Amino acid sequence: MDDQAKQLRELLQRSQAFARSTRLIAVTSGKGGVGKSNFTLNFALGLIEKGQKVVIFDVDLGLANLDVLMGISPKKHLLHLLEPQHSVWDIIEKGPNGLEFIAGGSGFTQLQNLDEQKLQILFDRLAELQGYADTILFDTGAGISRESLGFMLASDEILLVTTPEPTSITDAYAVIKMIHSQPKHPPIRLVINRATSVQEGKNTAEKLFTVSKRFLNMELGTLGYLPDDSFVSKAVKQQKPFLLSYPHSQAAKGIKELVNGYLGKAASPELPGGLRGFISKMRGFIK
Ligand SMILES: Nc1ncnc2c1ncn2[C@@H]1O[C@H](COP(=O)(O)OP(=O)(O)OP(=O)(O)O)[C@@H](O)[C@H]1O
Ligand SMILES: [Mg+2]
């Protein structure tokens, strides 16, 4: 009985939610370990604090670990989406504060090797989410695999995370070049993570602005800067997002500023293509 009531409640919540327009964001980086997953998770929780409904897809197909950052052992993951008996609602895991996520599954590499039938199943499942969430975040793997590129190009916006280290900046630029070489791509905004001062954050963004403008004639945006903060590592060790475990830390304050900036100013005036746009762009990319 309880189960039935719960199902009904969930069904009702879903039907109320379906009027939303969904914005898809791919979070990516050139170099690994620059803080993508921590940013994605805490940014999602920041959006939730502001009343948004958010779903994260862990599409770091080799090294998925979003669940570890929340101390959750997922029962289902992305690969289960391909099994006809599951709906997308069976696969979504619940995180803290109403956050929902689809855990990554290793072995899901090589999207283009999925046969037509499997792809259709995957896209049908994803389409079920249209209008369900305000924001869907893809936590992609570092570097430029073909799968990550597909997720980036099919999203409404790309957030590119870099730290001020020269290696991270160079690798971020390689990603920018790769995206730029595509016939069409969504806008890119930078997230400078682990800045030791506002000035260092600004200088890092400035370097990428300058080279992108000079060599690619391409304008980048910035979402903002996140400070280097030892509370991030503490929270990771405790497997609790820092926004919740250390809400007064500098990193948490930084996330809140980025959330306000994001909600205040969209990357482009165009309406998000949402999941339908995503699926048609993904189809075009895979073929
Ligand atoms: N703002 C920060 N201040 C201090 N340390 C940080 C910060 N952001 C990330 N870190 C450190 O970097 C580590 C890696 O972060 P995270 O797992 O989010 O990176 P990632 O880019 O997702 O890595 P991968 O490429 O392996 O997916 C964290 O465990 C933490 O120790
Ligand atoms: Mg990660």
Side-chain angles (χ1 to χ4, degrees), residues 134-188:
D134 299 286
T135 304
I136 294 181
L137 291 155
F138 296 112
D139 182 7
T140 72
I144 334 162
S145 69
R146 195 169 157 76
E147 294 79 34
S148 294
L149 188 63
F151 281 103
M152 285 184 238
L153 296 178
S155 293
D156 296 305
E157 172 172 11
I158 299 167
L159 293 180
L160 179 60
V161 183
T162 180
T163 70
E165 289 183 349
T167 40
S168 171
I169 298 175
T170 319
D171 292 356
Y173 181 62
V175 172
I176 295 169
K177 258 195 343 203
M178 177 61 153
I179 296 169
H180 177 76
S181 71
Q182 303 299 315
K184 200 168 184 298
H185 64 80
I188 305 175

Coordinates of all heavy atoms in Angstrom, one line a residue, residues 134-188:
D134 N 14.8 20.8 -14.9 CA 15.2 22.1 -15.4 C 16.5 22.0 -16.1 O 16.8 22.6 -17.1 CB 15.2 23.1 -14.3 CG 13.9 23.3 -13.6 OD1 13.0 23.9 -14.2 OD2 13.7 22.8 -12.5
T135 N 17.4 21.3 -15.4 CA 18.8 21.1 -15.9 C 19.2 19.7 -15.8 O 19.0 19.0 -14.8 CB 19.7 22.0 -15.0 OG1 19.3 23.4 -15.0 CG2 21.2 22.0 -15.6
I136 N 19.8 19.2 -16.9 CA 20.5 17.9 -16.9 C 22.0 18.2 -17.1 O 22.4 18.9 -18.1 CB 19.9 17.0 -18.1 CG1 18.5 16.7 -17.8 CG2 20.8 15.8 -18.2 CD1 17.8 15.8 -18.8
L137 N 22.8 17.7 -16.2 CA 24.2 17.9 -16.3 C 24.9 16.6 -16.7 O 24.6 15.5 -16.1 CB 24.8 18.3 -15.0 CG 24.4 19.7 -14.5 CD1 24.5 19.8 -13.0 CD2 25.3 20.8 -15.1
F138 N 25.8 16.6 -17.7 CA 26.6 15.5 -18.1 C 28.0 15.6 -17.5 O 28.6 16.6 -17.9 CB 26.7 15.3 -19.6 CG 25.3 15.1 -20.3 CD1 24.8 16.0 -21.1 CD2 24.7 13.9 -20.1 CE1 23.6 15.8 -21.7 CE2 23.4 13.6 -20.7 CZ 22.9 14.6 -21.6
D139 N 28.4 14.7 -16.7 CA 29.7 14.8 -16.2 C 30.6 13.9 -17.1 O 30.5 12.7 -17.0 CB 29.8 14.2 -14.7 CG 31.2 14.3 -14.1 OD1 32.1 14.8 -14.7 OD2 31.3 13.7 -13.0
T140 N 31.2 14.5 -18.1 CA 31.9 13.7 -19.1 C 33.4 13.4 -18.6 O 33.9 14.0 -17.7 CB 32.1 14.5 -20.4 OG1 33.0 15.5 -20.3 CG2 30.7 15.1 -20.9
G141 N 34.0 12.5 -19.3 CA 35.4 12.1 -19.0 C 36.3 13.3 -19.5 O 35.9 14.1 -20.3
A142 N 37.5 13.3 -19.0 CA 38.5 14.3 -19.4 C 38.9 13.9 -20.8 O 38.8 12.8 -21.3 CB 39.7 14.3 -18.4
G143 N 39.5 14.9 -21.5 CA 40.0 14.7 -22.8 C 38.9 14.6 -23.9 O 37.8 14.9 -23.6
I144 N 39.4 14.2 -25.1 CA 38.4 14.3 -26.2 C 38.1 12.9 -26.8 O 38.6 12.6 -27.9 CB 38.9 15.2 -27.3 CG1 39.8 16.3 -26.6 CG2 37.7 15.9 -27.9 CD1 40.7 17.0 -27.6
S145 N 37.4 12.1 -26.1 CA 37.0 10.8 -26.7 C 35.8 11.2 -27.6 O 35.2 12.2 -27.5 CB 36.5 9.8 -25.6 OG 35.3 10.3 -25.1
R146 N 35.5 10.3 -28.5 CA 34.4 10.5 -29.5 C 33.1 10.6 -28.7 O 32.2 11.4 -29.0 CB 34.4 9.4 -30.5 CG 33.5 9.8 -31.7 CD 33.6 8.9 -32.8 NE 32.4 9.0 -33.6 CZ 32.2 10.0 -34.4 NH1 33.0 11.0 -34.6 NH2 31.0 10.1 -35.1
E147 N 32.9 9.8 -27.7 CA 31.7 9.8 -26.9 C 31.5 11.1 -26.2 O 30.4 11.7 -26.3 CB 31.6 8.7 -25.9 CG 31.6 7.3 -26.4 CD 33.0 6.8 -26.9 OE1 34.0 7.2 -26.3 OE2 33.1 6.1 -27.9
S148 N 32.6 11.6 -25.5 CA 32.5 12.9 -24.8 C 32.1 14.0 -25.8 O 31.3 14.9 -25.5 CB 33.8 13.2 -24.1 OG 34.1 12.4 -23.1
L149 N 32.8 14.0 -27.0 CA 32.5 15.0 -28.0 C 31.0 15.0 -28.4 O 30.4 16.0 -28.5 CB 33.4 14.8 -29.2 CG 33.4 15.9 -30.2 CD1 33.9 17.2 -29.6 CD2 34.2 15.5 -31.4
G150 N 30.5 13.8 -28.5 CA 29.1 13.7 -28.9 C 28.2 14.3 -27.8 O 27.3 15.1 -28.1
F151 N 28.4 14.1 -26.5 CA 27.7 14.7 -25.5 C 27.8 16.2 -25.5 O 26.9 16.9 -25.2 CB 28.1 14.1 -24.1 CG 27.4 12.7 -23.8 CD1 28.2 11.6 -23.9 CD2 26.1 12.7 -23.5 CE1 27.6 10.3 -23.7 CE2 25.5 11.4 -23.2 CZ 26.2 10.3 -23.4
M152 N 29.1 16.6 -25.7 CA 29.3 18.1 -25.7 C 28.5 18.8 -26.8 O 27.9 19.8 -26.6 CB 30.8 18.4 -25.9 CG 31.6 18.1 -24.7 SD 33.3 18.6 -25.1 CE 34.2 17.1 -24.9
L153 N 28.6 18.2 -28.0 CA 28.0 18.9 -29.2 C 26.5 18.8 -29.2 O 25.9 19.7 -29.7 CB 28.5 18.3 -30.5 CG 30.0 18.4 -30.8 CD1 30.4 17.7 -32.1 CD2 30.5 19.9 -30.8
A154 N 26.0 17.8 -28.5 CA 24.5 17.7 -28.5 C 23.9 18.5 -27.3 O 22.7 18.6 -27.3 CB 24.2 16.2 -28.4
S155 N 24.7 19.0 -26.4 CA 24.1 19.8 -25.3 C 23.8 21.2 -25.7 O 24.2 21.7 -26.8 CB 25.2 19.8 -24.1 OG 25.3 18.5 -23.7
D156 N 23.2 21.9 -24.8 CA 22.9 23.3 -25.0 C 24.0 24.3 -24.7 O 24.1 25.4 -25.1 CB 21.6 23.8 -24.2 CG 20.4 23.0 -24.6 OD1 20.1 23.1 -25.8 OD2 19.8 22.3 -23.8
E157 N 24.9 23.7 -23.9 CA 26.0 24.5 -23.4 C 27.2 23.6 -22.9 O 26.9 22.5 -22.4 CB 25.6 25.4 -22.2 CG 26.7 26.1 -21.6 CD 26.2 27.2 -20.5 OE1 25.0 27.2 -20.1 OE2 27.1 27.9 -20.1
I158 N 28.4 24.1 -23.1 CA 29.5 23.3 -22.6 C 30.2 24.1 -21.5 O 30.5 25.3 -21.7 CB 30.6 23.1 -23.7 CG1 29.9 22.2 -24.8 CG2 31.8 22.3 -23.1 CD1 30.8 22.2 -26.1
L159 N 30.4 23.5 -20.3 CA 31.2 24.2 -19.3 C 32.5 23.5 -19.2 O 32.6 22.3 -19.0 CB 30.5 24.1 -17.9 CG 29.2 24.8 -17.8 CD1 28.6 24.6 -16.4 CD2 29.4 26.3 -18.0
L160 N 33.6 24.2 -19.5 CA 34.9 23.7 -19.5 C 35.7 24.0 -18.3 O 35.9 25.2 -18.0 CB 35.6 24.2 -20.8 CG 37.0 23.8 -21.1 CD1 37.2 22.3 -21.2 CD2 37.6 24.5 -22.3
V161 N 36.0 23.0 -17.5 CA 36.7 23.2 -16.2 C 38.2 23.2 -16.4 O 38.8 22.3 -17.1 CB 36.3 22.2 -15.2 CG1 36.9 22.4 -13.8 CG2 34.8 22.1 -15.0
T162 N 38.9 24.2 -15.9 CA 40.4 24.1 -15.9 C 40.9 24.7 -14.5 O 40.2 25.4 -13.9 CB 41.0 24.9 -17.1 OG1 42.4 24.9 -17.0 CG2 40.6 26.4 -17.0
T163 N 42.1 24.3 -14.2 CA 42.8 24.9 -13.0 C 43.8 25.9 -13.6 O 44.0 25.9 -14.8 CB 43.5 23.9 -12.2 OG1 44.6 23.4 -12.9 CG2 42.6 22.7 -11.8
P164 N 44.4 26.8 -12.8 CA 45.4 27.7 -13.3 C 46.7 27.0 -13.7 O 47.6 27.7 -14.3 CB 45.7 28.6 -12.1 CG 44.5 28.5 -11.2 CD 44.1 27.0 -11.4
E165 N 46.9 25.7 -13.5 CA 48.1 25.1 -13.9 C 48.3 25.1 -15.4 O 47.3 24.8 -16.2 CB 48.2 23.7 -13.4 CG 48.3 23.6 -11.9 CD 48.4 22.1 -11.5 OE1 48.2 21.2 -12.3 OE2 48.8 21.9 -10.3
P166 N 49.5 25.4 -15.9 CA 49.7 25.5 -17.4 C 49.3 24.2 -18.1 O 48.8 24.3 -19.2 CB 51.2 25.7 -17.5 CG 51.7 26.3 -16.2 CD 50.7 25.8 -15.2
T167 N 49.5 23.0 -17.5 CA 49.2 21.8 -18.2 C 47.7 21.7 -18.4 O 47.2 21.3 -19.4 CB 49.6 20.6 -17.3 OG1 49.4 20.9 -16.0 CG2 51.1 20.3 -17.5
S168 N 46.9 22.2 -17.4 CA 45.5 22.1 -17.5 C 45.0 23.1 -18.5 O 44.0 22.8 -19.3 CB 44.9 22.4 -16.1 OG 43.5 22.6 -16.1
I169 N 45.6 24.3 -18.5 CA 45.2 25.3 -19.5 C 45.5 24.8 -20.9 O 44.6 25.0 -21.8 CB 46.0 26.7 -19.2 CG1 45.7 27.2 -17.9 CG2 45.7 27.7 -20.3 CD1 46.4 28.4 -17.5
T170 N 46.7 24.3 -21.1 CA 47.0 23.8 -22.5 C 46.0 22.7 -22.9 O 45.6 22.7 -24.1 CB 48.4 23.1 -22.5 OG1 49.3 24.0 -21.7 CG2 49.0 23.0 -23.9
D171 N 45.7 21.8 -22.0 CA 44.8 20.7 -22.4 C 43.3 21.3 -22.6 O 42.6 20.8 -23.5 CB 44.7 19.6 -21.3 CG 46.1 18.9 -21.3 OD1 46.9 19.1 -22.1 OD2 46.2 18.0 -20.4
A172 N 43.0 22.3 -21.9 CA 41.7 22.9 -22.1 C 41.6 23.6 -23.5 O 40.6 23.4 -24.2 CB 41.4 24.0 -21.0
Y173 N 42.7 24.2 -23.8 CA 42.8 24.8 -25.2 C 42.7 23.7 -26.3 O 42.0 24.0 -27.3 CB 44.1 25.6 -25.3 CG 44.1 26.3 -26.7 CD1 43.2 27.2 -27.1 CD2 45.1 26.0 -27.6 CE1 43.2 27.8 -28.3 CE2 45.2 26.6 -28.9 CZ 44.2 27.5 -29.2 OH 44.2 28.1 -30.4
A174 N 43.3 22.6 -26.1 CA 43.1 21.5 -27.0 C 41.7 21.1 -27.2 O 41.2 20.8 -28.3 CB 44.0 20.3 -26.6
V175 N 40.9 21.1 -26.1 CA 39.5 20.8 -26.2 C 38.8 21.9 -27.0 O 37.9 21.6 -27.8 CB 38.9 20.6 -24.8 CG1 37.4 20.4 -24.9 CG2 39.5 19.4 -24.1
I176 N 39.1 23.1 -26.7 CA 38.5 24.2 -27.4 C 38.7 24.1 -28.9 O 37.8 24.3 -29.7 CB 39.0 25.6 -26.8 CG1 38.6 25.8 -25.4 CG2 38.5 26.8 -27.7 CD1 39.3 26.9 -24.7
K177 N 39.9 23.8 -29.2 CA 40.3 23.7 -30.7 C 39.5 22.6 -31.3 O 38.9 22.7 -32.4 CB 41.8 23.3 -30.8 CG 42.6 24.6 -31.2 CD 44.0 24.4 -31.7 CE 44.7 23.1 -31.5 NZ 46.1 23.2 -31.6
M178 N 39.4 21.5 -30.6 CA 38.6 20.3 -31.1 C 37.1 20.7 -31.4 O 36.5 20.4 -32.4 CB 38.7 19.2 -30.2 CG 38.0 18.0 -30.5 SD 38.6 17.3 -32.1 CE 38.2 15.7 -32.0
I179 N 36.6 21.4 -30.4 CA 35.1 21.8 -30.5 C 35.0 22.8 -31.6 O 34.0 22.7 -32.4 CB 34.6 22.4 -29.1 CG1 34.7 21.3 -28.0 CG2 33.2 22.9 -29.3 CD1 34.5 21.8 -26.6
H180 N 35.9 23.7 -31.7 CA 35.9 24.7 -32.7 C 35.9 24.1 -34.1 O 35.4 24.7 -35.1 CB 37.0 25.7 -32.5 CG 37.1 26.8 -33.5 ND1 36.3 27.9 -33.5 CD2 37.9 26.9 -34.6 CE1 36.6 28.6 -34.5 NE2 37.5 28.1 -35.2
S181 N 36.6 23.0 -34.3 CA 36.8 22.4 -35.6 C 35.5 21.7 -36.1 O 35.4 21.3 -37.2 CB 37.9 21.4 -35.6 OG 37.5 20.3 -34.9
Q182 N 34.5 21.6 -35.2 CA 33.2 21.0 -35.6 C 32.4 22.0 -36.4 O 32.5 23.2 -36.1 CB 32.5 20.5 -34.4 CG 33.3 19.5 -33.5 CD 33.7 18.3 -34.3 OE1 32.9 17.7 -35.0 NE2 34.9 17.9 -34.1
P183 N 31.5 21.5 -37.3 CA 30.7 22.4 -38.1 C 29.8 23.4 -37.2 O 29.6 24.5 -37.6 CB 29.9 21.5 -38.9 CG 30.4 20.1 -38.8 CD 31.3 20.1 -37.6
K184 N 29.3 22.8 -36.1 CA 28.4 23.6 -35.3 C 28.6 23.1 -33.8 O 28.8 21.9 -33.6 CB 27.0 23.3 -35.7 CG 26.0 24.4 -35.3 CD 24.7 24.2 -36.0 CE 23.7 25.3 -35.7 NZ 23.3 25.5 -34.3
H185 N 28.7 24.1 -32.9 CA 28.8 23.7 -31.5 C 28.1 24.7 -30.6 O 27.9 25.8 -30.9 CB 30.3 23.5 -31.2 CG 31.1 24.8 -31.2 ND1 31.0 25.8 -30.2 CD2 31.8 25.4 -32.2 CE1 31.7 26.8 -30.6 NE2 32.3 26.6 -31.8
P186 N 27.8 24.2 -29.4 CA 27.1 25.1 -28.4 C 28.1 26.1 -27.8 O 29.4 25.8 -28.0 CB 26.6 24.2 -27.4 CG 27.3 22.9 -27.5 CD 27.9 22.8 -28.9
P187 N 27.7 27.1 -27.2 CA 28.6 28.1 -26.5 C 29.4 27.4 -25.4 O 28.9 26.4 -24.8 CB 27.7 29.2 -26.0 CG 26.3 28.7 -26.0 CD 26.3 27.6 -27.0
I188 N 30.7 27.9 -25.2 CA 31.5 27.3 -24.2 C 31.7 28.4 -23.1 O 32.1 29.5 -23.4 CB 32.9 26.9 -24.7 CG1 32.8 26.0 -25.9 CG2 33.8 26.4 -23.6 CD1 34.2 25.7 -26.6

